[in-house]
Amino acid sequence: MSAAAPHIPVLLDEVIDALAIGDGEVHVDATFGAGGYTRAMLAAGARVVAFDRDPDAIRDGAALVESSGGALVLVESPFSALDTALGDAAPVDGVVMDIGVSSMQLDQAERGFSFQSDGPLDMRMSQSGESAADFVNEADESLIADILFRYGEEPRSRRVAKAIVAARPITRTAELAGVVRRALGYRPHDKKDPATRTFQAIRIHLNRELDELAEGLAAAERVLKPGGRLAVVTFHSLEDRMVKRFLRERSGSEPAGSRHRPAARAARAPSFEPPARPVRPGDAELQRNPRARSATLRVARRTAAAAWSAEGEV
């Protein structure tokens, strides 16, 4: 993605408003991708430290680093490690996270994230480690079923897993999509392709996306200065529930304990102010970018209280 034709991320204006960037402040773009949020943050006067574990994003962002005049540092790392990677740049004034696979990754058939165009069954954000083909061809049927149910919320996960094992070897995205469609039934005019849940589940599993999110939220809590802003954009219910729970818990907004669930954490000082109401895309943005339809933005401001210990993390 060239610097001349940047991808415009979801809820960009709302995110920049939430960050309330002051001139010279230091902000973190935890999920650089094609650099859309980073460009807007730089334009608002911030110095930015951006993270991405995808080497393609790091390579394509080099021109923006060069043109920033020292205002942008780009780090090849998962955002779960942002607190250690920031070093002397912490504490910071804001952190933004855009969770999940990027449009840039989805649109490249050779990355294997989408079945819209046939490509190798890959799905690795870091381009290293176990691939989706490795998983579907080597994992036990019971593990495949568990992953599809847990991360894809696939109600017929056992049927899909059985079909996958019977069809091995599977090496292409179109092959896997076809296996799932045959197992579940599919008509071209159906509102949602049944393969969507399977692809989501495998991608989340391979890239540890929910673990990354939990660790990244806790890392952001540690690096934000008092008054610092956290803005998180999610695209499906599993992610959004995690962010909602984290912010409610850290702000002291969780329901009071009962005799069945004691309020064991009442002594902890809230590390975030109560979060703002969630924001979702308006009609104009949905018309411009249909992928935004499931996006949710949650924002909260850091208090002066100490970050919670590991035992308090989600």
Side-chain angles (χ1 to χ4, degrees), residues 15 28 44 54 56 61 65 71 78-79 89 109 126 145 152 172 179 274 284 294:
V15 166
V28 171
D54 188 336
D56 285 356
V65 173
F79 63 78
S126 66
R172 309 284 297 181
V179 170
S294 58

Side-chain angles (χ1 to χ4, degrees), residues 218 221-222 250 271 302 305-309:
E221 177 192 35
R222 291 191 290 270
R250 295 303 209 266
S271 57
R302 190 71 168 83
W308 286 26
S309 63

Side-chain angles (χ1 to χ4, degrees), residues 286-300:
L286 291 174
Q287 290 178 2
R288 184 172 65 247
N289 182 10
R291 287 176 178 166
R293 65 186 180 276
S294 58
T296 301
L297 167 64
R298 294 187 184 273
V299 177

Side-chain angles (χ1 to χ4, degrees), residues 208-282:
R208 296 183 64 254
E209 291 183 38
L210 297 187
D211 290 335
E212 278 288 309
L213 177 55
E215 294 165 15
L217 290 170
E221 177 192 35
R222 291 191 290 270
V223 302
L224 282 167
K225 63 178 59 172
R229 287 77 70 193
L230 174 63
V232 187
V233 178
T234 58
F235 289 87
H236 64 72
S237 59
L238 291 174
E239 300 164 342
D240 185 52
R241 284 198 297 267
M242 287 185 66
V243 177
K244 180 180 179 180
R245 178 188 167 198
F246 176 87
L247 293 178
R248 289 186 64 183
E249 186 177 61
R250 295 303 209 266
S251 65
S253 303
E254 284 279 68
S258 67
R259 63 189 179 92
H260 300 294
R261 184 171 178 266
R265 296 172 180 163
R268 298 182 186 215
S271 57
F272 283 91
E273 297 177 6
R277 293 178 63 86
V279 178
R280 295 181 174 84

